[in-house]
Amino acid sequence: MMRCGTNDFSINQMEFAKHFRKYSHIFLLSIVLSIALFPIISFASQVIVIIQGTRDATIGTDYVDFGTWSTSSSDQTMTDVHLGADGIIVDDLDSSAVSWSVSISAENFTSASGLIPYTNLKVKADDDGVIDVIGGTSNADGITTFNTFQAFSGGGSVSNPIALIVADNRTRSAVYQTFPEFQLGVPAFTDEGVYNSMFTFTFLVD
């Protein structure tokens, strides 16, 4: 009886080996395909600054890097993306009464194989909700920063502008700085590729 049991076990081993050889290539193929479903995607945006008026403003980068990600079978959100190390710097040292504002518009993120609309993008004026005074003698009274995430909207190739900073009409003598932050929603199964957009910052002085 013991010998018969051992023979049965040996036969079972042989059957398993035969079936494993027959189906193992299917198992290996499924691994390869699952990896192929998650290619690499990266996102970046060129920055343009338009200045209209008698004050000066600078943007701390000419290129916003959203990083490199893997596509997914689920929607993803890219967070903690900032506008360079220096953010936005506004020089209001002329000591004359003016109002001014900083706004941003965006284009769609496009690659050779796909598109992510700017409606998937959000921005807020400052990552910690505080405008910094980094020079001069005035405070930040009368300056509003929009520090909750706002989604880009519009129907054309370029979004409607979003206000980031609005300063009312008064005399100031200071240099101000904010650090805008972005979020980008990436749909499930986004095609691999390098996606590029363009952000336009407009500094308007009245």
Side-chain angles (χ1 to χ4, degrees):
M1 294 293 293
M2 292 294 293
R3 197 162 41 245
C4 179
T6 301
N7 289 340
D8 288 344
F9 179 70
S10 298
I11 292 172
N12 289 337
Q13 285 183 312
M14 293 174 62
E15 289 295 318
F16 172 79
K18 181 173 67 176
H19 282 79
F20 180 80
R21 285 193 298 271
K22 180 178 179 181
Y23 295 109
S24 61
H25 66 285
I26 298 176
F27 173 73
L28 293 174
L29 179 61
S30 69
I31 294 175
V32 173
L33 288 176
S34 68
I35 294 172
L37 288 174
F38 300 95
I40 299 299
I41 49 177
S42 61
F43 300 86
S45 181
Q46 183 181 351
V47 172
I48 292 178
V49 182
I50 298 174
I51 299 176
Q52 300 174 347
T54 58
R55 297 297 189 270
D56 191 21
T58 58
I59 304 298
T61 183
D62 57 4
Y63 187 78
V64 179
D65 185 2
F66 282 74
T68 299
W69 292 60
S70 296
T71 61
S72 173
S73 57
S74 302
D75 293 345
Q76 302 180 86
T77 301
M78 294 182 170
T79 60
D80 200 32
V81 178
H82 294 83
L83 184 66
D86 295 326
I88 297 173
I89 298 175
V90 178
D91 183 341
D92 190 359
L93 291 169
D94 285 359
S95 297
S96 59
V98 295
S99 60
W100 51 265
S101 64
V102 179
S103 62
I104 179 176
S105 58
E107 298 183 11
N108 295 323
F109 284 85
T110 59
S111 73
S113 56
L115 178 149
I116 294 179
Y118 53 68
T119 51
N120 285 33
L121 181 69
K122 297 180 180 180
V123 65
K124 64 179 180 179
D126 193 81
D127 54 4
D128 64 4
V130 177
I131 186 168
D132 299 318
V133 180
I134 61 173
T137 58
S138 298
N139 57 30
D141 289 351
I143 300 177
T144 301
T145 55
F146 295 89
N147 296 316
T148 56
F149 279 109
Q150 304 176 79
F152 288 83
S153 62
S157 59
V158 180
S159 74
N160 297 328
I162 290 178
L164 296 177
I165 313 169
V166 175
D168 66 7
N169 192 303
R170 68 177 70 191
T171 299
R172 299 180 177 86
S173 181
V175 180
Y176 303 99
Q177 185 176 34
T178 65
F179 298 91
E181 184 176 353
F182 299 91
Q183 287 185 353
L184 178 63
V186 182
F189 299 110
T190 294
D191 291 331
E192 65 180 306
V194 178
Y195 288 76
N196 291 291
S197 176
M198 183 174 292
F199 297 163
T200 301
F201 290 86
T202 300
F203 179 53
L204 178 62
V205 180
D206 295 325

